[in-house]
Amino acid sequence: MKRILTAIVLIAAVFLLIFFGQLWMITLAAAIIAELAAYEYLKLAAVGAETHGAQLRIPLWWMTLGTALAFVVTLPNFPVEAQLPVLSALTLALFAWNGFRSPLIQVLPDTAQGLFGLIYIAYPLTLIPLIWKKEDGTALVIFLMVCVWAGDIAALYIGRAFGKHKLAPRLSPGKTWEGSAASIVGSVIAAFVVIYLGDVLTSHGNLLLHTSEPMWQSLLLATLLNVAAQLGDLLESAIKRGAGVKDSGTMLPGHGGMLDRIDALLLAAPILWFVLILKDAFGMGRF
């Protein structure tokens, strides 16, 4: 019941924000989620280091500042070219900090784990407001979220009921091939519903969920996003297994931590962004 109630509240909040929010609201919400997930990541990395007799030296102030700056440089006043120099400066700052404060054997691992935290968590979430502000951005973000959520729900319930063949027991013993297949089907069905609903609304003059690409392309995209989401879930499990913990935190009743809730999105969002870039680059039309 905790899991269901928490999911209802979160989904309602996300839908309200996507449909009725403004760019600064979505950017701020994504930044807050990124900060919370980054904090959990630091704790996981620290526990993982301790299990190997080391002490992680990624200061909280650095991760907090780096995550915030990742969003700041995506604001309209900043050119896209500013993102890489800022990321480089943050990495070099952490490198210098660790160089003078960490044991020499830990300088490279600690710096690498800090940089990975920004690339793994902050960067993918900066894409959410960037996607939202594109033409038909509302439909894009809804499509992304629904594909990820529907796949997760289908995998959970079908996998529990019918799952027999383990998908990746070393990373996540509970996941099965049956649940994985159900996840893909769930995402495809959800994508069909979103596109169909968008077509119905468009025919009545409401362009809120308007899309232009053929249905088969949308369903293919849903499949691709689902595979990315499942991989994101498994990779986050690898981090938790390495740290010897079941959940990334306890922020969300019935769901574990923030990172547990967004792990699938962290790979699915960059895949969607990459697809949009390819469509623009090769003149394949908009979503």
Side-chain angles (χ1 to χ4, degrees):
M1 182 57 66
K2 282 184 179 180
R3 184 181 182 90
I4 293 173
L5 291 176
T6 301
I8 291 173
V9 171
L10 291 176
I11 291 173
V14 170
F15 269 68
L16 287 172
L17 192 60
I18 293 173
F19 282 119
F20 304 107
Q22 299 179 20
L23 180 60
W24 71 268
M25 297 178 185
I26 294 175
T27 303
L28 179 61
I32 292 172
I33 292 171
E35 293 285 7
L36 295 174
Y39 173 71
E40 291 180 346
Y41 167 79
L42 281 186
K43 292 197 299 181
L44 287 175
V47 172
E50 288 175 4
T51 60
H52 294 87
Q55 180 180 354
L56 186 72
R57 287 176 172 81
I58 304 175
L60 179 60
W61 65 263
W62 181 88
M63 184 61 76
T64 302
L65 176 63
T67 302
L69 286 177
F71 284 87
V72 169
V73 295
T74 64
L75 296 176
N77 293 335
F78 287 85
V80 176
E81 295 79 8
Q83 295 181 16
L84 184 57
V86 168
L87 182 62
S88 298
L90 286 167
T91 304
L92 293 174
L94 180 60
F95 190 19
W97 176 274
N98 289 331
F100 286 98
R101 298 177 63 90
S102 300
L104 293 181
I105 197 173
Q106 282 297 118
V107 173
L108 180 57
D110 288 352
T111 305
Q113 288 191 77
L115 174 60
F116 175 74
L118 293 183
I119 295 174
Y120 174 52
I121 296 171
Y123 174 72
L125 291 179
T126 63
L127 299 177
I128 301 301
L130 293 178
I131 294 172
W132 183 85
K133 71 178 183 179
K134 291 178 73 69
E135 190 172 12
D136 298 334
T138 299
L140 281 165
V141 178
I142 290 294
F143 185 87
L144 171 65
M145 297 295 182
V146 167
C147 285
V148 171
W149 292 337
D152 185 47
I153 293 171
L156 175 64
Y157 290 102
I158 300 300
R160 282 183 176 179
F162 304 103
K164 294 181 180 179
H165 302 87
K166 299 298 182 181
L167 176 63
R170 190 171 69 93
L171 300 181
S172 185
K175 290 181 172 54
T176 62
W177 282 104
E178 292 82 359
S180 177
S183 179
I184 295 175
V185 173
S187 290
V188 169
I189 293 174
F192 177 84
V193 172
V194 171
I195 299 302
Y196 178 77
L197 181 59
D199 290 343
V200 171
L201 292 175
T202 300
S203 67
H204 289 82
N206 188 331
L207 301 180
L208 196 59
L209 288 179
H210 176 262
T211 57
S212 300
E213 68 180 11
M215 177 66 78
W216 71 268
Q217 289 187 19
S218 296
L219 299 184
L220 180 61
L221 177 58
T223 302
L224 184 61
L225 293 178
N226 177 273
V227 172
Q230 291 195 54
L231 181 59
D233 196 344
L234 287 173
L235 293 180
E236 197 245 351
S237 293
I239 296 176
K240 292 187 294 185
R241 292 284 167 186
V245 300
K246 182 179 182 295
D247 297 319
S248 65
T250 57
M251 292 183 187
L252 303 173
H255 290 260
M258 185 64 70
L259 191 54
D260 292 322
R261 282 302 84 214
I262 65 169
D263 53 4
L265 189 63
L266 295 180
L267 262 70
I271 291 297
L272 176 57
W273 184 250
F274 184 62
V275 169
L276 295 176
I277 290 175
L278 287 180
K279 287 174 72 70
D280 290 340
F282 292 98
M284 300 168 62
R286 67 184 189 185
F287 179 77

